[in-house]
């Protein structure tokens, strides 16, 4: 619980407004400006929310200066090493690590909801074959609202629970089906005897003519990718889900909004963009030219997979991801292909270059995840859908937390208006 023991006084134009200061359990104090307009007649201005806490939350904590990421207090490196994705999902959703029995029950509930309504298969056929799988996912997840009417009343905690499990369980099936459709192969039904990550890999890579034996190391690597992307407090897509849901809209449509936001290259789309950039760079001797372009103010090019709004230190997820990349490449016998050489050299040069050092631009999680997914056989267009599969639990946890909060209000920012002031309409013949 946040404590409120201090106040700040804002003085301007002969007015004085007392603003409560909340002290969180971790992180910087927060100035409460909710009464500012009523008492002072002014708004605050913060495009991009660089200094604004949009909600209170007990799920995830990031210390960007120290490079720390905690889920319900547990550090991400410990979770990535000792836990697994579904256990982390339970932790995010319900706040505590489960006992063995509780975990078994949770896993069984998720596993038994992995199939999608058979009629939903028709949606896939409506998309062009070359549609990006994210486009397909936005459409199909939104369409879930038309199929699961018994879990769309957000005022009912039980329906919220059912919607949460459905989203978590069906997202890998939908992502795998979007992929299969895009490569012209029949979709593969989920199998209840496989764990979450293995099931997803099999749905992506098995074909009716030949089953897919899931390598435990690849399954572990996929599970780790999912774990590392599970939640990241109030990022753009999570804030989108919160804002969309604040009107009471149905959960499937709100998660579809989150998927749409995640797709952008500044957010989840960066993993696809990062690998495509490495390929475009092509060879190590081209790196200086791309570094030069990244530093040029007149060139919109940025080093994809570098920089973060919150981390001004090494992204703790990137550290684990880098280690995972080494393991997977080792297993697959990929020693030093050209893309990997470019990635390693680029990382080295950027970490030493004064521009990147001064601006605290470190490699982020997306820099390494693409290398692993590429080695596993995924095309770049599947990188962001896999991020969406992982982030679903974060979106759902934050959505549940918000809806259950009695203080929840519709999200409705104000603006700094810069358009014309009042003017009378002019008839068309007089313009
Ligand atoms: N390459 C070159 N310069 C950069 C980069 C980059 N990747 N990122 C930031 N900068 C510069 C930027 O030009 C600016 O310079 P100046 O102060 O001289 O104008 C300064 O660093 C601060 O950048 P910003 O755009 O104000 O910072 P932001 O917090 O608004 O943006 C970011 C954060 C992640 C959008 C940005 O770093 C970026 O575009 N990175 C590349 C895309 C990427 O990898 N995104 C994945 C983020 S991690 C996964 C996720 O959250 O989805």
């Amino acid at each position: 619980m946040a404590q409120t023991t201090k106040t700040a006084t804002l003085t301007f134009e002969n007015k004085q407004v007392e603003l409560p200061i909340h002290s969180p359990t971790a992180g910087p104090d927060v100035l409460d400006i909710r009464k500012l307009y009523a008492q002072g007649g002014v708004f605050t201005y913060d495009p991009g929310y660089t200094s604004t806490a949009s909600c209170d939350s007990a799920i995830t904590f990031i210390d960007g200066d120290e490079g720390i990421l905690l889920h319900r207090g547990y550090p991400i490196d410990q979770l990535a090493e000792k836990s697994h994705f579904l256990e982390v999902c339970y932790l995010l959703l319900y706040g505590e690590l489960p006992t063995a029995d509780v975990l078994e029950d949770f896993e069984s509930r998720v596993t038994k909801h992995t199939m999608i309504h058979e009629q939903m298969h028709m949606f896939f056929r409506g998309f062009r074959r070359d549609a990006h799988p994210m486009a397909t996912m936005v459409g199909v997840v939104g369409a879930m609202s038309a199929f699961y009417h018994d879990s769309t009343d957000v005022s009912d905690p039980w329906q919220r629970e059912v919607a949460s499990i459905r989203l978590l369980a069906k997202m890998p099936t939908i992502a795998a089906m979007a992929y299969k459709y895009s490569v012209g192969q029949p979709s593969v039904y989920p199998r209840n005897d496989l764990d979450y990550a293995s099931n997803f890999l099999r749905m992506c890579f098995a074909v009716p003519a030949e089953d897919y034996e899931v390598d435990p190391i690849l399954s572990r690597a996929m599970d780790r990718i999912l774990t590392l992307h599970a939640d990241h407090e109030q990022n753009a897509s999570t804030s989108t889900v919160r804002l969309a849901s604040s009107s009471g809209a149905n959960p499937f449509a709100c998660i579809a909004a989150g998927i749409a936001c995640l797709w952008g290259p500044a957010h989840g789309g960066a993993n696809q963009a990062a690998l495509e950039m490495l390929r475009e760079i092509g060879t190590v001797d081209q790196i200086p030219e791309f570094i030069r372009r990244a530093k040029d103010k007149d060139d919109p090019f940025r080093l994809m997979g570098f920089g973060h709004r919150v981390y001004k230190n090494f992204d703790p997820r990137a550290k684990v991801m880098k280690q995972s990349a080494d393991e997977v490449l080792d297993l697959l016998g990929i020693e030093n292909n050209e893309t990997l050489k470019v990635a390693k050299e680029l990382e080295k040069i950027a970490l030493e270059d004064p521009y990147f050092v001064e601006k605290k631009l470190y490699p982020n999680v997306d820099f390494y995840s693409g290398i692993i997914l590429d080695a596993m056989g995924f095309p770049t267009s599947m990188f962001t859908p896999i991020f969406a599969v992982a982030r679903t639990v974060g979106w759902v946890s934050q959505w549940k937390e918000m809806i259950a909060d009695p203080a929840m209000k519709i999200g409705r920012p104000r603006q700094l208006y810069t358009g014309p002031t009042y003017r009378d309409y002019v008839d068309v013949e007089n313009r």
Side-chain angles (χ1 to χ4, degrees), residues 232 235 262 265-268 270 294-295 297 301-310 312 315 317 355-356 359 361 364-366 387:
H232 215 224
N235 57 84
L262 184 76
H267 192 8
K295 296 196 292 196
K297 282 255 163 280
F301 174 77
R302 282 184 169 202
L303 277 194
M304 300 313 286
F306 276 80
H308 198 275
R309 167 62 62 79
V310 183
K312 301 302 167 201
D315 179 339
R317 304 167 300 170
Y355 173 94
F356 290 88
K359 293 189 190 301
L361 300 170
N364 58 49
V365 68
D366 292 326
F387 193 158

Side-chain angles (χ1 to χ4, degrees), residues 85-357:
F85 182 62
L86 277 188
E87 186 176 64
V88 172
C89 289
Y90 185 93
L91 176 69
L92 289 168
L93 283 165
Y94 307 109
E96 294 297 336
L97 287 170
T99 60
D101 288 354
V102 168
L103 180 60
E104 196 184 322
D105 172 64
F106 177 68
E107 289 183 337
S108 152
R109 281 193 290 144
V110 172
T111 305
K112 288 185 182 135
H113 282 85
T114 46
M115 283 174 67
I116 59 166
H117 194 294
E118 198 57 21
Q119 218 180 325
M120 284 187 77
H121 289 239
M122 286 188 232
F123 276 98
F124 288 87
R125 283 180 221 135
F127 287 96
R128 273 174 58 138
R129 281 279 174 204
D130 58 358
H132 194 289
M134 283 297 272
T136 311
M137 284 182 78
V138 171
V140 174
V141 173
M144 284 175 78
S145 41
F147 283 87
Y148 302 105
H149 295 291
D150 57 343
S151 53
T152 55
D153 177 1
V154 297
S155 63
D156 175 354
W158 175 245
Q159 294 202 30
R160 295 204 293 270
E161 177 64 19
V162 175
S164 306
I165 297 291
R166 279 188 172 140
L167 279 158
L168 190 56
K170 295 181 201 308
M171 202 61 84
T173 314
I174 292 172
M177 286 176 74
Y179 170 54
K180 284 299 199 187
Y181 185 77
S182 72
V183 291
Q185 293 179 5
S187 52
V188 174
Y189 285 87
R191 246 179 47 192
N192 285 2
D193 59 327
L194 294 177
D195 64 77
Y196 198 85
S198 304
N199 197 20
F200 177 60
L201 284 171
R202 186 181 162 275
M203 286 192 289
C204 288
F205 294 125
V207 286
E210 197 175 316
D211 205 357
Y212 175 78
E213 282 284 315
V214 187
D215 188 302
I217 297 187
L218 293 190
S219 164
R220 177 79 191 126
M222 176 52 75
D223 191 89
R224 209 172 251 187
I225 288 176
L226 298 175
T227 301
L228 291 174
H229 286 88
D231 190 44
H232 215 224
E233 51 119 305
Q234 309 312 320
N235 57 84
S237 56
T238 300
S239 300
T240 300
V241 171
R242 278 188 178 258
L243 190 58
S245 324
S246 73
S247 70
N250 99 46
F252 304 109
C254 295
I255 298 297
I259 297 173
C261 177
L262 184 76
W263 193 1
H267 192 8
N271 52 13
Q272 169 167 356
L275 198 84
E276 286 169 356
M277 175 195 75
L278 293 176
R279 288 190 180 143
E280 196 193 336
I281 296 175
T283 49
V284 168
D285 58 307
Q286 293 296 317
I287 293 175
E289 171 58 9
F290 281 83
I291 295 267
R292 187 199 60 72
R293 286 186 58 199
K295 296 196 292 196
D296 182 354
K297 282 255 163 280
D298 299 324
D299 189 330
F301 174 77
R302 282 184 169 202
L303 277 194
M304 300 313 286
F306 276 80
H308 198 275
R309 167 62 62 79
V310 183
Y311 294 120
K312 301 302 167 201
N313 200 324
F314 228 96
D315 179 339
R317 304 167 300 170
K319 281 190 192 160
V320 184
M321 199 67 92
K322 188 178 180 188
Q323 187 196 332
S324 230
D326 288 338
E327 277 168 28
V328 170
L329 297 173
D330 206 34
L331 171 83
L332 298 174
I334 303 171
E335 282 193 351
N336 239 356
N337 67 15
E338 207 52 48
T339 313
L340 194 62
K341 272 195 221 157
V342 170
K344 284 187 174 165
E345 193 58 22
L346 182 65
E347 181 197 17
K348 195 164 141 257
I349 295 176
L351 285 174
E352 287 166 1
D353 189 293
Y355 173 94
F356 290 88
V357 173

Side-chain angles (χ1 to χ4, degrees), residues 400-419:
K400 279 183 86 182
E401 181 183 64
M402 187 188 82
I403 301 278
D405 180 356
M408 199 260 291
K409 279 170 109 70
I410 186 166
R412 190 4 179 136
R414 305 304 294 257
Q415 64 173 6
L416 170 64
Y417 179 66
T418 57

